Amino acid sequence: MIGQLLWRGMLAGLIAGLLAFAMASTFGEPPLTRAIGFEASQADGHHHGEAHSHGATGEGHHHGDGAGISRATQSSWGLLTGVGVYSTALGGLFALVFALANGRLGRLSPRALSVLLAAGGFLALVAVPWVKYPPNPPGIGTAATIDLRTEVYFLLLAVSLSAMMLSVRLARPLRARLGPWNGVLAAGALYGLIAAFAWGLFPTVATIPAHFPAEVLWQFRLSSLGIQVIIWAVLGLVFGALVERARRRRQLTGRASATA
Amino acid sequence: MSQTTTATGVSPESPSLPVVPLGELLPWALLGGLLLMLALYFVGAEQGATAMFSGTGIHEFVHDGRHLLGFPCH
Ligand SMILES: [Zn+2]
């Protein structure tokens, strides 16, 4: 049955990825392009990283050396591949988590469980990290801080996800002790508390150049958030619907209880 | 914790989907999880702070997605 869940998760992720690509292409690319323009205007004479030597001519060649992939390719097939692979793989992982959570988090229909898991995943992997390390367009970071920024970002993802799993795990005993409403509130408060501590304890990496256009940054971050909202919402809704439909058609039967 | 019916019409005795035994889940989670994480890694981080392949081709190809998906890029 896991195989059947897995491919449905990846299918839901692919559908989500295609919709997210439309969002990224329409609303994400314009601010990204303007950010590259700003970056190029600043690049003359300074800050050339190893992996990102920006030619003095900047225009049209974001990353000058080596691979020679054009902006046109980056913003079309590259973007489609990046968002599509990300979303499809996320859908597969989502299906694995769903298989683990199903029947172990109380009485929930597949659709309800799918939506709940997607909400939890969005909160833990997007919303909470977003507050501390929001997405940045080109022209914000410097090559000197990429190692640090990568480390703290993935570390925060790990902390946030672990805290979420802990809260979900404790929700049941807390409900038994405090009642259904207060139990869930307590579990949520625990996650919020850990998130708040993480926001405070993780280092702030400030790299926004003094004259970076604020409007471009705002639009970039907003579109980035929109992309993630689409991915997680579509993933949660489509996966749950696919599973329930398959279940009604008796396609999903477990080895353990084929008669359920 | 002893209700037999719910708003969703599913009773605890018969979850609408059979529970997947942990022993059945584990190999899938290990192998599938690893491959899927690897795919996320290639989109999100390869040829940035760390690299499995030399060059910048993968980084540059997925570059816009990496920025817009919220990963640190450059
Ligand atoms: Zn970049």
Side-chain angles (χ1 to χ4, degrees), chain A residues 1-3 6 28-29 32 39 52 54 62-63 65 67 69 71 73-75 77-79 81-82 85-86 89 92-93 96 98 100 102-104 107 110 135-138 141 146-147 149-150 153-154 220 224 227-228 243 247 252 254 257, chain B residues 1 3 5-6 8 10-12 14-22 24-26 28-30 32-37 39-40 43-45 47-50 56-74:
Chain A
M1 188 173 92
I2 299 199
L6 194 60
E29 281 295 335
L32 196 150
E39 184 185 37
H52 295 273
H54 309 259
H62 177 31
H63 302 283
D65 64 356
I69 289 167
R71 280 297 306 142
T73 304
Q74 283 183 332
S75 64
W77 295 109
L79 180 66
T81 305
V85 169
Y86 172 87
L93 290 168
L96 291 175
F98 179 91
L100 177 67
N102 171 55
R104 294 188 173 93
R107 297 163 273 100
N136 282 323
I146 183 63
D147 285 0
R149 283 183 288 126
T150 304
Y153 178 70
F154 282 98
F220 179 88
S224 177
I227 289 165
Q228 292 287 358
V243 170
R247 186 60 186 151
L252 287 175
S257 55
Chain B
M1 283 296 161
Q3 300 92 331
T5 58
T6 70
T8 50
V10 180
S11 70
S14 63
S16 63
L17 207 62
V19 174
V20 182
L22 288 178
E24 192 185 331
L25 182 58
L26 196 65
W28 286 91
L30 289 180
L34 194 72
L35 288 174
L36 293 164
M37 297 276 268
L40 290 185
V43 173
Q47 291 169 352
T50 61
T56 60
I58 299 169
H59 174 123
E60 290 199 20
F61 186 60
V62 299
H63 175 266
D64 287 18
R66 189 173 290 185
H67 275 281
L68 282 165
L69 289 166
F71 294 104
C73 177
H74 80 278

Side-chain angles (χ1 to χ4, degrees), chain A residues 218-240:
Chain A
W218 164 246
Q219 285 173 351
F220 179 88
R221 286 179 175 173
L222 203 57
S223 66
S224 177
L225 189 62
I227 289 165
Q228 292 287 358
V229 168
I230 289 181
I231 288 177
W232 287 93
V234 174
L235 180 57
L237 291 170
V238 172
F239 180 74

Side-chain angles (χ1 to χ4, degrees), chain A residues 28-256:
Chain A
E29 281 295 335
L32 196 150
T33 303
R34 289 179 63 189
I36 289 173
F38 172 85
E39 184 185 37
S41 72
Q42 302 290 300
D44 296 301
H46 63 279
H47 101 84
H48 292 250
E50 308 91 284
H52 295 273
S53 85
H54 309 259
T57 51
E59 205 61 51
H61 286 281
H62 177 31
H63 302 283
D65 64 356
I69 289 167
S70 69
R71 280 297 306 142
T73 304
Q74 283 183 332
S75 64
S76 55
W77 295 109
L79 180 66
L80 178 63
T81 305
V83 175
V85 169
Y86 172 87
S87 190
T88 307
L90 197 67
L93 290 168
F94 185 80
L96 291 175
V97 174
F98 179 91
L100 177 67
N102 171 55
R104 294 188 173 93
L105 293 183
R107 297 163 273 100
L108 289 165
S109 71
R111 272 194 296 196
L113 178 61
S114 181
V115 167
L116 266 182
L117 287 179
F122 177 80
L123 190 64
L125 292 174
V126 179
V128 164
W130 211 91
V131 173
K132 186 72 188 186
Y133 302 121
N136 282 323
I140 294 278
T142 63
T145 59
I146 183 63
D147 285 0
L148 173 65
R149 283 183 288 126
T150 304
E151 275 167 31
V152 293
Y153 178 70
F154 282 98
L155 198 59
L156 184 56
L157 288 187
V159 167
S160 178
L161 191 62
S162 306
M164 177 60 76
M165 292 193 298
L166 179 72
S167 297
V168 171
R169 191 82 175 75
L170 288 179
R172 196 163 222 188
L174 284 172
R175 278 169 62 111
R177 183 175 286 261
L178 305 171
W181 182 262
N182 288 334
V184 170
L185 277 188
L190 174 68
Y191 175 73
L193 205 65
I194 298 175
F197 269 105
W199 287 331
L201 292 175
F202 271 72
T204 300
V205 190
T207 54
I208 302 176
H211 300 293
F212 194 92
E215 190 198 350
V216 172
L217 185 57
W218 164 246
Q219 285 173 351
F220 179 88
R221 286 179 175 173
L222 203 57
S223 66
S224 177
L225 189 62
I227 289 165
Q228 292 287 358
V229 168
I230 289 181
I231 288 177
W232 287 93
V234 174
L235 180 57
L237 291 170
V238 172
F239 180 74
L242 285 176
V243 170
E244 285 220 351
R245 196 186 63 155
R247 186 60 186 151
R248 273 198 302 277
R249 295 176 175 183
R250 307 245 177 279
Q251 285 169 341
L252 287 175
T253 48
R255 224 180 285 163

